[in-house]
Amino acid sequence: KMDFLRSAFGQPESIEKVKMLAGRVFTELKGVTEAMSQNLTRALTDGLVQGKNPLAIARDVVKQVDDIGINRARTIARTELIRSHAEGQLDAMGRLGVGKLNVMVEWITSRSKTGLSARGNLSPCELCAPLAGVVLTLDEAKGLLPRHPSCVCSFSPANLGEDRERQTRD
């Protein structure tokens, strides 16, 4: 677990995350032209490399991309950062030899209106809730996150075959 945490969070953004984000094309989004897509990619990539949060990146997007309002820019920034971080997590787990992973939902209180879970957190959205606890191979998980705009789900090692006592000590 500690190796994964050091690998995932103890380093500057991985080259793989930056390349993945830099390779994204946004012309499939309604009303986004080729020039807008290029500016959007540049703002997102620069923000990721500089360690900016999604709101700061959204402000940069509004300045650099014509006809993108702050709400749409926030949604795009959050969604694309989740995508790059999710793929980065998968790459890090692969380097550490993790063969399977558990899809765990990260709850965010400002988005859900479905009520409290047993842990006291707000429940995940209806689209993602059925995936909580699903075990996938790394290959199966590639490209699944984000599942929808502003999705906040993430992947976590599945701990298959470990004994319970060791899990709680680590």
Side-chain angles (χ1 to χ4, degrees), residues 1-26:
K1 289 179 187 176
M2 291 310 296
D3 287 341
F4 170 71
L5 291 173
R6 270 191 228 88
S7 173
F9 300 108
Q11 303 174 18
E13 293 305 332
S14 70
I15 293 171
E16 291 86 8
K17 284 184 189 181
V18 175
K19 283 183 182 178
M20 194 278 310
L21 191 54
R24 291 276 293 138
V25 176
F26 298 98

Side-chain angles (χ1 to χ4, degrees), residues 77-90:
R78 278 193 302 259
T79 303
E80 293 308 316
L81 289 179
I82 288 291
R83 182 185 322 281
S84 68
H85 288 302
E87 293 301 312
Q89 283 179 308
L90 294 175

Side-chain angles (χ1 to χ4, degrees), residues 50-151:
Q50 294 168 19
K52 292 183 177 181
N53 67 45
L55 183 55
I57 293 172
R59 287 188 206 110
D60 292 344
V61 167
V62 169
K63 291 176 192 170
Q64 296 177 35
V65 181
D66 294 335
D67 299 325
I68 296 265
I70 190 65
N71 290 334
R72 189 171 190 199
R74 266 190 239 144
T75 299
I76 291 170
R78 278 193 302 259
T79 303
E80 293 308 316
L81 289 179
I82 288 291
R83 182 185 322 281
S84 68
H85 288 302
E87 293 301 312
Q89 283 179 308
L90 294 175
D91 291 341
M93 285 185 244
R95 284 191 303 273
L96 292 170
V98 175
K100 290 186 177 265
L101 55 110
N102 190 3
V103 178
M104 300 293 292
V105 178
E106 297 278 338
W107 289 280
I108 185 164
T109 57
S110 64
R111 300 260 186 288
S112 177
K113 295 188 176 39
T114 59
L116 293 178
S117 71
R119 291 184 176 173
N121 298 323
L122 285 175
S123 300
C125 72
E126 292 177 14
L127 187 62
C128 295
L131 293 176
V134 171
V135 177
L136 304 164
T137 66
L138 292 175
D139 287 340
E140 290 169 337
K142 287 279 186 190
L144 292 182
L145 290 181
R147 185 157 176 151
H148 54 81
S150 297
C151 181

